[in-house]
Amino acid sequence: METIEVKTWNVFESNCPSRQIFERISDRWTGIVLMALEDGTLRFSELKRKVEGVSQKMLTQTLRALERDGLVSREVFPTVPVTVEYTLTRLGTSLLATVQQVRAWAYANIEEIDAARGEYDRRALSS
């Protein structure tokens, strides 16, 4: 019987490749773009309108990174001007579930976080 080697990852090690995933997930726009695509395929211009505050450059960089990681697929249509559509992949949809949990946690706890920030800022000003 053949033995299959199972790799053990340790995110605390500097050379652990899972750190790259943590970097991608913690990127400012990654989760928001994934959630923007949760209802289906969108053109670049639709994503740009939906994700308020993101620059064209940052949206392009984020989508390229998500495509490179296999989280988003990109389809180009030869129209004038060119139409580009983005869709979550199976892998992207699986990450979306986690991002949605973080969103739910944020919605449930934002008032407590705001109160903690206010208290911290008051203490910082008085010291």
Side-chain angles (χ1 to χ4, degrees), residues 40-85:
T41 301
L42 292 175
R43 294 188 318 269
F44 183 90
S45 58
E46 293 171 319
L47 271 168
K48 177 80 173 73
R49 279 192 301 275
K50 191 169 186 175
V51 181
E52 293 181 11
V54 68
S55 68
Q56 183 169 333
K57 177 182 176 182
M58 285 309 304
L59 182 56
T60 298
Q61 288 177 355
T62 300
L63 287 165
R64 283 183 183 158
L66 292 172
E67 183 184 9
R68 181 173 184 254
D69 288 344
L71 301 170
V72 167
S73 65
R74 176 180 183 263
E75 189 171 1
V76 179
F77 298 93
T79 57
V80 178
V82 173
T83 301
V84 182
E85 293 183 342

Side-chain angles (χ1 to χ4, degrees), residues 7-124:
K7 292 192 175 204
T8 303
W9 305 110
N10 183 347
V11 74
F12 299 111
E13 293 177 359
S14 63
N15 64 346
C16 181
S18 67
R19 281 192 176 191
Q20 295 171 3
I21 305 307
F22 275 90
E23 286 178 31
R24 174 72 52 240
I25 294 168
S26 64
D27 175 78
R28 177 177 183 180
W29 298 109
T30 292
I32 295 170
V33 169
L34 291 176
M35 288 185 292
L37 290 167
E38 69 187 319
D39 292 329
T41 301
L42 292 175
R43 294 188 318 269
F44 183 90
S45 58
E46 293 171 319
L47 271 168
K48 177 80 173 73
R49 279 192 301 275
K50 191 169 186 175
V51 181
E52 293 181 11
V54 68
S55 68
Q56 183 169 333
K57 177 182 176 182
M58 285 309 304
L59 182 56
T60 298
Q61 288 177 355
T62 300
L63 287 165
R64 283 183 183 158
L66 292 172
E67 183 184 9
R68 181 173 184 254
D69 288 344
L71 301 170
V72 167
S73 65
R74 176 180 183 263
E75 189 171 1
V76 179
F77 298 93
T79 57
V80 178
V82 173
T83 301
V84 182
E85 293 183 342
Y86 296 90
T87 307
L88 290 177
T89 63
R90 179 199 56 77
L91 192 60
T93 301
S94 70
L95 177 57
L96 175 63
T98 301
V99 172
Q100 288 169 324
Q101 289 178 328
V102 173
R103 174 177 56 187
W105 181 90
Y107 287 174
N109 293 285
I110 190 62
E111 290 171 355
E112 187 175 344
I113 292 167
D114 280 344
R117 288 174 176 170
E119 179 59 30
Y120 177 91
D121 293 345
R122 281 188 290 283
R123 285 193 319 264

